[in-house]
Amino acid sequence: MSAVPTRGALARTAGPVLDRVQAEVRGSAVAVLLADPQARVVDIRYGERSFGREVASLGVLPGVRLGEDDVGVNAIGTPLETRRSLLLRGAEHALPAFHGFTCFGHPIVHPGTRRVAGVLDFAVPASRDERLAPALVRHLVTEIEGRLRTDAAEAQQRLLAAFQSAARRRDRRVLVVGHGLVLATQPALDLLAPADHAAVQACVEHGGENTRITLASGQPVRLSWAPVDGTEGTMVDLVAETRPRPRAAVPVRWPLLVAGEPGTGKTTVAREAAGDGAVVLDGVETVRVGEAEWAEQASRLLDGDGPAVIVENVQLLSERLAALVAARARTSKRNLVLTSAPGDPHPPITACCGERRELAPLRVRRHEIPRLAQRMLSGECAARFTPESLRVLAAQPWPGNLAELRRVVRAVAELRSAGDVVPADLPPSHRDGSALASPFDRAEREVIVAAIAAAGGNKLEAARALGISRSTLYNRMKALRIR
């Protein structure tokens, strides 16, 4: 029986504890599994090879994800969801393949951050007496948490040393972030507002190197960063750049097509482009009034004179109505703005447009979320988000984009009209900032969102395009918080 090679702070810190357990259970039908906060197995130790092969034959190997949304109730995914230990005997497991085992899982809570750092799971054959397992696992978890505390303290010392070395140059704008520690030189503090700290952290966690962002003050900066050796921390340099000159207004090439996911601000952009007095015609109305009446309204508006016309949700139009709008757009004397879901709504409409503006979803511009959230809150009340609250908001998936962010901010304003808004003041659905910490989860989420958009919101068609069942699609949507 040999240790499985692993990486990461949790596996490294828990390694000596698991080494000792491995020696103590040698010759016994026992498996000890260590999983990370995403329910992925990072280390497995067996008491005997035959039992190890039995577990491995079920697909339980390093790297496999055993979240509750993946395999139902189990001793890894469920403790992560509930933050409580769980004992499952035989058929109490949701997955029939696990009915031959009794498992006890206990969450590992990082002493510094108080976040769940992982789960330790003790598995034995269902026929075996498991009464000692809870006490043993709790003892091991306590030891691992103690080692995490020590490891964090040592890492903080290394981060502090790296920061002190970087701060010797007094004009250097630098931050060191990691292990519950944020250090900044005075020039960096002079440059950054509270919302900017969360924006910088969002860039480090989700963006690419040498990212350019605009601070709350309007100052553009370039960020470059590098890991601090021996830690999971990061050193970030901020380089102030010359503020761009205001651009002269560029005339719109009509008709204008504004495309984006729901909630990205398509209507706002359309109204700003169309100007005062714009008349709105919505593709959704075809269901209520019928295609004939909708076609008559569109023809009457586009054939006459007057202010601009906005046609919303053109992706919902039938091919006949799309062709009608495209034909009228070419001859109309009125400026025309069309809004659509991502992608090409209809070839005739795409072809007739003189300009297209694609609005990026909020999840791909996370560094803007702290500034947007604080600006929205300032418009509602006198309260202000703390940096930690802004960090949590920046980590959310935001399937509803700006519209969802605005609803959350209004809910916060109703709860707290003044003072600091801490994470506990956020709606329960938006307090967990680590739900999609995995790059794989984020990539999977974007693929599913794109498939649903391409199918016009039809989940069955989206599932077919992805090659999965509709029930699997709904399960993944729930896990990835796709609404």
Side-chain angles (χ1 to χ4, degrees), residues 202-405:
C203 285
V204 173
E205 293 177 353
H206 306 288
E209 293 186 8
N210 297 317
T211 299
R212 285 175 169 80
I213 66 172
T214 301
L215 302 180
S217 64
Q219 171 66 55
V221 297
R222 176 171 53 83
L223 309 179
S224 61
W225 57 82
V228 178
D229 291 340
T231 76
E232 293 189 332
T234 306
M235 183 177 295
V236 186
D237 274 282
L238 298 89
V239 180
E241 298 188 327
T242 304
R243 298 195 185 201
R245 295 179 180 179
R247 294 181 180 180
V250 179
V252 176
R253 299 190 300 275
W254 306 100
L256 170 64
L257 175 62
V258 182
E261 293 181 8
T264 49
K266 297 190 297 295
T267 297
T268 300
V269 172
R271 291 183 181 277
E272 289 175 352
D276 295 336
V279 182
V280 179
L281 190 62
D282 199 327
V284 173
E285 288 293 294
T286 58
V287 177
R288 185 177 66 84
V289 303
E291 288 198 8
E293 183 174 338
W294 196 95
E296 183 180 343
Q297 292 179 21
S299 298
R300 185 172 62 253
L301 287 173
L302 295 177
D303 288 345
D305 293 322
V309 175
I310 300 173
V311 181
E312 296 260 34
N313 298 304
V314 293
Q315 80 278 1
L316 300 178
L317 299 179
S318 66
E319 292 185 7
R320 185 177 71 86
L321 290 180
L324 170 70
V325 170
R328 292 292 192 275
R330 293 188 179 94
T331 59
S332 179
K333 298 177 182 179
R334 307 175 76 162
N335 294 333
L336 177 62
V337 185
L338 310 168
T339 72
S340 169
D344 294 327
H346 292 282
I349 286 180
T350 302
C352 81
C353 290
E355 183 179 340
R356 179 188 181 113
R357 297 181 188 174
E358 196 80 37
L359 305 184
L362 205 53
R363 64 183 176 276
V364 302
R365 46 193 179 104
R366 294 181 183 277
H367 61 278
E368 298 181 23
I369 293 172
R371 177 168 50 88
L372 290 169
Q374 188 57 63
R375 182 187 301 168
M376 290 179 183
L377 186 62
S378 298
E380 296 283 340
C381 63
R384 60 189 177 275
F385 288 110
T386 63
E388 178 62 14
S389 294
L390 291 171
R391 187 201 67 77
V392 172
L393 290 175
Q396 300 298 317
W398 298 112
N401 293 294
L402 290 169
E404 181 185 354
L405 177 60

Side-chain angles (χ1 to χ4, degrees), residues 42-202:
V42 297
D43 200 350
I44 307 178
R45 305 300 177 94
Y46 303 116
E48 59 182 23
R49 291 183 182 275
S50 60
F51 189 66
R53 287 193 294 269
E54 182 180 352
V55 174
S57 69
L58 302 177
V60 180
L61 298 166
V64 71
R65 191 174 186 276
L66 297 177
E68 196 170 49
D69 291 309
D70 299 291
V71 295
V73 175
N74 69 93
I76 288 180
T78 304
L80 281 172
E81 294 284 344
T82 63
R83 291 178 64 103
R84 295 182 178 181
S85 58
L86 178 66
L87 176 65
L88 292 175
R89 299 180 178 89
E92 292 175 351
H93 290 90
L95 197 67
F98 293 167
H99 287 183
F101 302 89
T102 293
C103 301
F104 180 78
H106 195 288
I108 301 169
V109 178
H110 195 291
T113 65
R114 303 310 302 168
R115 297 177 184 168
V116 176
V119 170
L120 190 67
D121 178 21
F122 191 88
V124 297
S127 58
R128 180 170 170 174
D129 186 349
E130 81 296 330
R131 284 177 294 179
L132 295 179
L136 172 61
V137 174
R138 290 191 181 99
H139 173 76
L140 296 175
V141 167
T142 299
E143 188 175 350
I144 292 172
E145 290 175 346
R147 292 182 62 84
L148 284 172
R149 181 184 294 106
T150 302
D151 184 72
E154 293 174 352
Q156 286 185 347
Q157 290 298 319
R158 288 190 285 269
L159 288 174
L160 180 59
F163 173 75
Q164 290 172 334
S165 176
R168 288 173 185 166
R169 205 181 79 190
R170 295 187 178 181
D171 63 341
R172 187 175 180 184
R173 300 183 179 97
V174 64
L175 291 87
V176 170
V177 182
H179 293 280
L181 188 69
V182 178
L183 301 169
T185 60
Q186 191 59 50
L189 291 174
D190 293 340
L191 189 65
L192 300 175
D196 296 328
H197 287 272
V200 169
Q201 191 163 351

